[in-house]
Amino acid sequence: MDIDSIENGIVQLIKKAETELPEDVVKSLEKAYKIEEGVARTQIDAILKNIELAKKSGRPMCQDTGIQTFFVEVGIKFPEILKLKTIIENGVKKATKEIPLRPNTMNPLTNVNHKDNTGLHLPYITWEFVEGDKVTITAFPKGGGSENMSKLGMLKPGVGIEGVKDFVVEEMVKAAGQPCPPTVVGVGIGGGADLSLKLGKKSLLRPVGVRNKDKEIARIEEELIKRINDSGIGPMGLGGKTTVLDVHVEIAHRHPASLPVGIAVQCWADRRAKMIIKSDGSWEVE
Ligand code: SF4
């Protein structure tokens, strides 16, 4: 297996994520442009022009190229499972130089920058093992401005689903323009503290406009979209109809005494790209 080639594939994967927004996000921003007016429309117009420019020039769409985050589905019959972590890390180091990316990984005690977007526990990789012999890697660079608006609520179970919805809306109204709206909000309900946040973040991988398959959860998503957009915060917090492009909700069973709600926020730069590595080492970035 040509490991160098796969590392170069990781560079291409990161480049695609940093320079080209997925179609579903672009379409949703174009839809927002049509319904907005005044300053809100100008903001969406600037975002769309920025996206186009990034794609044409092959340059990152935002100066904050984020923390390199990956969700990896590993087929249990893939022959080089143990090399994948190093391949991703080396790909991140190469991408930092070649694209280039802003070096974003700092030691929290010394503030020393690691300079290559790796470091302790970073890049952040979530592993999932599945049937088969291929590997699917989703790159999900996560900017600091939107990450800072993440919230964990350990709610009292008595507040019920109405309390959960109120918590999400209140937190997004408090966040206002800080996460560079229009945002996509991922909400994880249940599990435990860490699982609710993880579910919220993972839900952001679902394309914009795709509702949860569970009808009741889909209805909650629609209500949250409406209530957050009715706040009038608007694009970049300057007023308007589009504060969120979408809200995704995922649930897990919970302890009787706990009702955790994890909120993960993604900015308009809802960057995602996918790479598939076959068992012979050939790869493709989608
Ligand atoms: S929140 Fe998103 S758009 Fe805003 S600066 Fe960070 S990465 Fe860029």
Side-chain angles (χ1 to χ4, degrees), residues 62-64 143-146 179-180 267-269 271:
C62 182
Q63 40 75 34
D64 181 358
S146 56
C180 294
C267 53
W268 65 261
R271 298 165 284 195

Side-chain angles (χ1 to χ4, degrees), residues 185-217:
V185 178
V187 182
I189 307 171
D194 54 345
L195 181 55
S196 67
L197 279 166
K198 191 81 187 188
L199 283 175
K201 191 168 267 185
K202 202 173 172 208
S203 79
L204 297 172
L205 301 186
R206 197 190 326 149
V208 170
V210 175
R211 298 271 62 79
N212 190 302
K213 287 195 188 102
D214 181 302
K215 284 206 178 94
E216 179 55 21
I217 301 175

Side-chain angles (χ1 to χ4, degrees), residues 102-107 110-118:
R102 191 172 81 180
N104 271 345
T105 48
M106 318 219 355
N107 182 305
T110 62
N111 286 340
V112 172
N113 193 314
H114 209 261
K115 297 205 172 123
D116 59 7
N117 278 307
T118 71

Side-chain angles (χ1 to χ4, degrees), residues 55-251:
K55 191 174 174 181
K56 269 193 200 147
S57 64
R59 293 279 178 185
M61 66 191 77
C62 182
Q63 40 75 34
D64 181 358
T65 50
I67 286 290
Q68 296 305 311
T69 305
F70 300 91
F71 289 85
V72 186
E73 277 181 14
V74 186
I76 48 173
K77 292 190 183 128
F78 184 76
E80 298 287 6
I81 292 176
L82 291 178
K83 292 195 176 140
L84 284 169
K85 186 167 180 276
T86 310
I87 288 173
I88 294 173
E89 285 167 357
N90 287 343
V92 167
K93 288 177 191 170
K94 279 189 194 178
T96 302
K97 278 194 195 144
E98 290 174 23
I99 297 177
L101 305 175
R102 191 172 81 180
N104 271 345
T105 48
M106 318 219 355
N107 182 305
L109 304 183
T110 62
N111 286 340
V112 172
N113 193 314
H114 209 261
K115 297 205 172 123
D116 59 7
N117 278 307
T118 71
L120 296 170
H121 299 284
L122 296 180
Y124 185 43
I125 308 173
T126 299
W127 303 96
E128 197 180 323
F129 292 92
V130 295
E131 287 293 334
D133 61 2
K134 66 173 189 187
V135 174
T136 306
I137 305 180
T138 304
F140 183 71
K142 193 69 183 59
S146 56
E147 188 70 5
N148 288 348
M149 297 302 109
S150 312
K151 280 284 170 276
L152 171 66
M154 299 303 290
L155 307 189
K156 292 206 167 24
V159 302
I161 190 62
E162 291 309 316
V164 170
K165 288 188 277 190
D166 289 348
F167 172 69
V168 175
V169 174
E170 277 160 26
E171 289 304 326
M172 285 306 96
V173 170
K174 267 194 243 162
Q178 293 176 88
C180 294
T183 55
V184 182
V185 178
V187 182
I189 307 171
D194 54 345
L195 181 55
S196 67
L197 279 166
K198 191 81 187 188
L199 283 175
K201 191 168 267 185
K202 202 173 172 208
S203 79
L204 297 172
L205 301 186
R206 197 190 326 149
V208 170
V210 175
R211 298 271 62 79
N212 190 302
K213 287 195 188 102
D214 181 302
K215 284 206 178 94
E216 179 55 21
I217 301 175
R219 205 189 54 71
I220 294 168
E221 290 177 344
E222 276 159 13
E223 183 183 333
L224 289 171
I225 294 167
K226 180 166 186 324
R227 284 178 63 184
I228 300 170
N229 280 340
D230 282 351
S231 69
I233 289 164
M236 303 310 282
L238 296 171
K241 300 183 181 90
T242 324
T243 306
V244 286
L245 297 173
D246 209 349
V247 177
H248 294 164
V249 177
E250 296 291 339
I251 64 168

